[in-house]
Amino acid sequence: MANEPIYNSRKFRAFGSYIFLLFGAGILAVGLWTLSLPDTRTAGISAYNQAIESWQSNVSTNPLLNAAFGVRTKWEYEDRDINRPLALDTTNTNDKLDDSPRSGEVFESYQHIKFAIHNTSDDLFSSREFLLPPRVWFPDNYCVSFYPNGDKSTSLPGQPLCPFDQSMPGVYVSQYTNYTIKIDCQLKLKKRKPDVKNNCAVKCEQEENGFWEARGSSVRAGTCWKYRVLSGVCVAVEKTENGFTVTRGCYANGGYAMYRNVDANKFYSLANVHLEVRDQADPFLVVADSTLNTFNFGASRHQRLIVGVVLSCLGGLMCILPFILTWWLLIRLPQIEAENGTKSLYDEEEELPVKKLKPKPIPNPKYKGGDYELIEN
């Protein structure tokens, strides 16, 4: 009709469907990007297996077999300086990865040669449990120093210096670390009460397993904290003329310490921190670098192919749909209606004349019935 709202018109519905084009283009771009990604999994596994082959060819003459190491921890806030010897580990079991071989893949096995202590409950670190978030807003800090040949008065060269004791080479570590994350939440009011589902504190603590530090009385203002607890300290060494020298840390990008993600509002301890000395050619360093300490080589090429094809097809369909709908509403449907002599609900029609009703006459109080018989005075 002439006065019909614009959102009921054919043109509006046809061109309004082009919002699918925006979403479809985004999904199509993600699908094509997924298909274009390099096969990092195959490359990572290949580098890992090559490192194992190189390691196994020299394992019998590795200088670590005739070495001895120990570890010393110095506490920052307490007057404690503890040292323990490290045990030689030569097992034939690979380091545990958060991954498993897929069809057609092989993870080569190799012999360990490392010095380690995995149970640190004997006062190398504080044995008391601590709650996250902590009641005291600073963690216990330590300096972990590795020494050769059982001589705790010396330290392996190449280690960084402790910030609180510049005379002691060693790795500076904390009991835990924290970081903030962004929470996607909004405040919706219902009868002057906040919507619980969009409460930022609920999303932070129940969905992200973090801790919400509120600012003021608003359910939106604040910070969501996540925590990591110390899980390992490791140095890689190289044999030189004067003994062994630390060349880097064992973890990704040469990191000396590793922290694991934990949930807030729980108790933790440092009873099982791994302290290790490894050879710089150890395959563990290769997998730590290539996976950024996740120890997972990522999705396989077949998995990425499936995801990429599905997203590309879905995005392409959403891109084509608006053009099909426009053709149907603005071209084909009018042709069908013209052939059949029918009109669509979307067609504008001429406004029909409206009959004006005459007002009903006011009855005469002296009228006595019959065919409008009037009584004169």
Side-chain angles (χ1 to χ4, degrees), residues 2-145:
N3 297 327
E4 189 176 3
I6 189 172
Y7 54 80
N8 269 343
S9 68
R10 280 182 179 175
K11 292 182 179 180
F12 180 83
R13 297 199 177 193
F15 292 110
S17 65
Y18 279 80
I19 192 172
F20 285 98
L21 184 62
L22 300 177
F23 290 104
I27 296 175
L28 178 61
V30 173
L32 295 176
W33 174 76
T34 303
L35 292 174
S36 66
L37 288 175
D39 189 7
T40 55
R41 180 178 180 85
T42 301
I45 295 176
S46 177
Y48 179 55
N49 288 334
Q50 289 178 7
I52 291 176
E53 292 177 4
S54 176
W55 172 265
Q56 287 295 102
S57 63
N58 302 314
V59 69
S60 60
T61 59
N62 194 296
L64 285 181
L65 293 172
N66 301 316
F69 298 95
V71 64
R72 171 188 172 196
T73 60
K74 189 171 185 179
W75 301 27
E76 181 175 9
Y77 302 117
E78 296 185 32
D79 186 17
R80 293 193 183 186
D81 192 340
I82 313 297
N83 62 86
R84 294 286 185 273
L86 296 177
L88 177 62
D89 182 1
T90 57
T91 59
N92 290 320
T93 304
N94 288 22
D95 290 288
K96 186 177 180 181
L97 304 179
D98 189 20
D99 202 345
S100 57
R102 313 289 169 80
S103 176
E105 296 176 346
V106 176
F107 292 173
E108 300 290 345
S109 60
Y110 65 95
Q111 180 181 349
H112 279 307
I113 301 179
K114 65 179 180 180
F115 288 83
I117 180 171
H118 296 168
N119 185 2
T120 56
S121 60
D122 51 356
D123 293 336
L124 282 172
F125 300 103
S126 174
S127 59
R128 65 175 180 271
E129 292 187 336
F130 55 92
L131 176 67
L132 292 178
R135 294 184 176 89
V136 180
W137 285 97
F138 56 88
D140 293 335
N141 299 322
Y142 307 90
C143 187
V144 181
S145 180

Side-chain angles (χ1 to χ4, degrees), residues 315-330:
L317 180 62
M318 293 181 68
C319 289
I320 296 174
L321 182 62
F323 298 100
I324 297 177
L325 189 59
T326 301
W327 170 81
W328 174 258
L329 289 176
L330 301 184

Side-chain angles (χ1 to χ4, degrees), residues 137-360:
W137 285 97
F138 56 88
D140 293 335
N141 299 322
Y142 307 90
C143 187
V144 181
S145 180
F146 296 90
Y147 56 87
N149 303 321
D151 186 2
K152 62 182 181 180
S153 62
T154 62
S155 299
L156 285 171
Q159 299 181 89
L161 295 177
C162 289
F164 60 88
D165 187 353
Q166 294 292 320
S167 64
M168 178 181 177
V171 181
Y172 182 70
V173 296
S174 296
Q175 191 179 34
Y176 66 88
T177 62
N178 55 16
Y179 61 99
T180 61
I181 61 173
K182 184 178 179 181
I183 298 296
D184 183 16
C185 55
Q186 297 179 354
L187 176 62
K188 295 184 179 179
L189 297 180
K190 290 184 178 180
K191 298 181 180 180
R192 300 183 181 273
K193 293 182 179 180
D195 186 359
V196 176
K197 292 183 179 180
N198 289 295
N199 189 310
C200 296
V202 172
K203 286 199 171 185
C204 174
E205 296 181 357
Q206 295 187 4
E207 297 181 11
E208 300 293 340
N209 295 317
F211 170 71
W212 179 256
E213 182 184 10
R215 294 195 300 269
S217 58
S218 173
V219 298
R220 291 188 65 187
T223 304
C224 186
W225 292 95
K226 294 278 290 180
Y227 295 92
R228 297 188 182 103
V229 173
L230 180 67
S231 62
V233 181
C234 179
V235 295
V237 296
E238 179 185 16
K239 177 65 175 177
T240 62
E241 295 179 356
N242 298 324
F244 289 93
T245 301
V246 175
T247 57
R248 53 163 290 177
C250 300
Y251 303 110
N253 301 319
Y256 293 97
M258 184 174 179
Y259 295 82
R260 59 187 176 93
N261 293 318
V262 296
D263 298 337
N265 301 312
K266 292 184 180 181
F267 284 90
Y268 299 94
S269 71
L270 300 183
N272 295 304
V273 178
H274 294 194
L275 303 177
E276 299 177 339
V277 175
R278 293 175 179 260
D279 191 283
Q280 67 171 0
D282 196 308
F284 177 83
L285 278 64
V286 175
V287 70
D289 281 338
S290 62
T291 64
L292 298 178
N293 291 340
T294 62
F295 302 101
N296 189 302
F297 293 105
S300 66
R301 184 178 181 180
H302 179 68
Q303 291 174 319
R304 289 201 326 275
L305 180 63
I306 293 176
V307 173
V309 169
V310 170
L311 291 179
S312 299
C313 293
L314 180 61
L317 180 62
M318 293 181 68
C319 289
I320 296 174
L321 182 62
F323 298 100
I324 297 177
L325 189 59
T326 301
W327 170 81
W328 174 258
L329 289 176
L330 301 184
I331 299 177
R332 183 56 185 155
L333 190 58
Q335 293 176 352
I336 296 176
E337 293 168 352
E339 294 172 358
N340 298 334
T342 58
K343 291 186 177 181
S344 170
L345 295 176
Y346 300 109
D347 285 342
E348 296 182 355
E349 298 178 357
E350 296 183 358
E351 188 174 355
L352 298 176
V354 180
K355 294 182 179 180
K356 296 183 179 180
L357 300 178
K358 296 181 179 180
K360 187 177 181 180

